Amino acid sequence: MQSYTIGQAARLLGVSPDTARRWADAGRITTHRDESGRRLVDGRDLAAFSVELARSGIAEDDTPYTSARNAFPGIVTAIKLGDVAAQVEIQAGPHRLVSLLTREAVEELGLEVGMEATARVKSTNVHIDRV
């Protein structure tokens, strides 16, 4: 399972690293230390926390994670696989994006809950880039 540093987690949550550290210190985000002593957050824990955070409406600011290409870097929070189709949900700061794609595409990208990914929005389509 992928783990994230406090700085990476903060970027995915749309908050400052100081805010993410305070949440970790308060026990809101579960962390563990690697061999070099860095605090890490498990991807599944971060995915669950990002959904909880978005539902509560708490955000550091209202700045969306967008660019000229409408890229939303975030974390995969849910994957629903059917026989042919799949639904992938990404939490990008305060934004929840849902992409409908083929099961084959999800498998080729190796997508899992807790994995970092970027949703790219064009018109009404949401494309997923694995990071």
Side-chain angles (χ1 to χ4, degrees):
M1 174 47 54
Q2 185 165 352
S3 293
Y4 299 92
T5 65
I6 290 291
Q8 292 169 324
R11 183 177 52 79
L12 292 169
L13 294 170
V15 299
S16 72
D18 286 337
T19 298
R21 278 188 208 94
R22 280 193 303 274
W23 287 343
D25 291 343
R28 290 189 65 195
I29 302 174
T30 304
T31 63
H32 62 278
R33 297 211 181 253
D34 65 6
E35 316 76 52
S36 61
R38 294 181 307 164
R39 282 201 292 193
L40 300 175
V41 181
D42 178 72
R44 288 191 181 275
D45 292 340
L46 184 60
F49 182 75
S50 70
V51 171
E52 174 191 326
L53 187 65
R55 286 186 181 144
S56 70
I58 299 171
E60 191 165 89
D61 59 29
D62 292 328
T63 305
Y65 276 24
T66 60
S67 71
R69 291 185 170 146
N70 297 319
F72 293 79
I75 187 166
V76 177
T77 57
I79 298 175
K80 296 176 186 165
L81 294 174
D83 292 337
V84 177
Q87 177 179 310
V88 176
E89 294 182 22
I90 293 179
Q91 192 70 44
H95 308 288
R96 176 179 165 263
L97 295 111
V98 178
S99 179
L100 301 175
L101 56 162
T102 65
R103 178 187 184 113
E104 181 180 14
V106 170
E107 291 170 350
E108 283 180 9
L109 288 170
L111 295 177
E112 296 177 8
V113 171
M115 176 179 280
E116 188 174 356
T118 300
R120 296 191 185 276
V121 179
K122 181 175 181 184
S123 185
T124 60
N125 297 315
V126 177
H127 304 268
I128 306 291
D129 296 334
R130 180 175 171 189
V131 179

